[in-house]
Amino acid sequence: MIFRGLEWVELAKRLLFSCLVLLLSACASSPAVVIASKPMVVPPMLKPEPPKWSESNLLSFHNQWKGTPYRLGGLSRNGVDCSGFVYLAYLNIVGDKLPRTVNSQRILGKEIPRNQLKTGDLVFFKTTRTVRHVGIYMGNDRFLHASTKKGVKISSLNNIYWKPRFWFAKRLKNPTAEQNMSIASLVDHVQQQDDL
């Protein structure tokens, strides 16, 4: 059988129409019923708690920095100052940033009596009429700090040098919220404290 040009086009149209009808009728048929298995209960992801202050993680941090010399403004193992060391310890152990200077760190948190100190509290000292020093309380009357003469070390609050120079201690609950004070009020507060 020989198809002419027009007959061939007509045959192709019918074939295409038949395929289209078949295809559309398949779409119109009722869908297959799928029975879902029981939903799997996935427990919610718990946000991991930041590391807590402990004597062991302070000792570990001390071992990493032990013997690092004191250097005013320093933030590396080539040299670090007291507030820089506290800044780095807080960042490393707790994961939060503190202000960088003693004067800025001393206005954070809640003042704590010396007999209620807990590991992680900041301890402040007046070493001269104008110079201030900060360290981190470790428990058992010891604190970790960057000493001007011996670098990073652990000292006793009852040490003949440190005991009479103890000024106050602070406990930081939420330093990031407290840091949101405006610069102007921060400077005002520090100046008022210096006048006391």
Side-chain angles (χ1 to χ4, degrees):
M1 173 176 350
I2 299 176
F3 292 102
R4 294 187 205 153
L6 279 175
E7 291 173 348
W8 177 251
V9 172
E10 191 60 35
L11 183 62
K13 282 182 184 178
R14 286 183 184 172
L15 188 57
L16 186 60
F17 180 74
S18 299
C19 287
L20 195 57
V21 168
L22 244 155
L23 202 73
L24 289 175
S25 66
C27 290
S29 65
S30 55
V33 177
V34 178
I35 300 173
S37 59
K38 284 185 175 179
M40 193 166 105
V41 177
V42 178
M45 291 293 291
L46 297 176
K47 185 178 177 186
E49 284 191 33
K52 303 259 187 229
W53 290 113
S54 70
E55 183 178 3
S56 63
N57 54 22
L58 280 168
L59 282 171
S60 174
F61 195 73
H62 170 257
N63 289 336
Q64 295 170 30
W65 287 83
K66 185 177 181 179
T68 299
Y70 181 90
R71 189 182 73 176
L72 185 62
L75 273 177
S76 74
R77 287 192 175 80
N78 294 328
V80 66
D81 63 18
C82 65
S83 60
F85 183 71
V86 168
Y87 169 89
L88 292 168
Y90 214 92
L91 186 61
N92 184 275
I93 296 171
V94 178
D96 281 331
K97 286 186 178 181
L98 291 182
R100 175 61 184 83
T101 66
V102 174
N103 279 337
S104 297
Q105 290 173 359
R106 73 183 176 132
I107 65 171
L108 300 176
K110 177 183 175 189
E111 194 163 331
I112 302 297
R114 184 172 168 175
N115 64 352
Q116 293 178 17
L117 283 169
K118 290 184 181 177
T119 303
D121 289 341
L122 300 184
V123 286
F124 293 87
F125 303 86
K126 280 187 177 180
T127 54
T128 70
R129 189 175 181 292
T130 58
V131 177
R132 309 295 182 255
H133 186 72
V134 64
I136 303 168
Y137 187 70
M138 295 182 68
N140 298 319
D141 288 324
R142 296 172 307 143
F143 68 103
L144 179 59
H145 65 120
S147 158
T148 54
K149 292 187 179 172
K150 297 189 178 177
V152 173
K153 65 178 287 185
I154 296 170
S155 296
S156 170
L157 289 175
N158 295 320
N159 173 288
I160 195 167
Y161 179 80
W162 294 111
K163 187 173 184 174
R165 289 167 175 79
F166 179 83
W167 189 16
F168 61 85
K170 288 285 190 97
R171 182 164 301 146
L172 308 183
K173 290 284 187 190
N174 186 2
T176 51
E178 294 175 57
Q179 286 173 242
N180 290 333
M181 294 172 62
S182 71
I183 299 289
S185 64
L186 188 69
V187 170
D188 261 0
H189 184 78
V190 169
Q191 288 174 342
Q192 289 171 2
Q193 295 296 316
D194 284 337
D195 293 339
L196 297 177

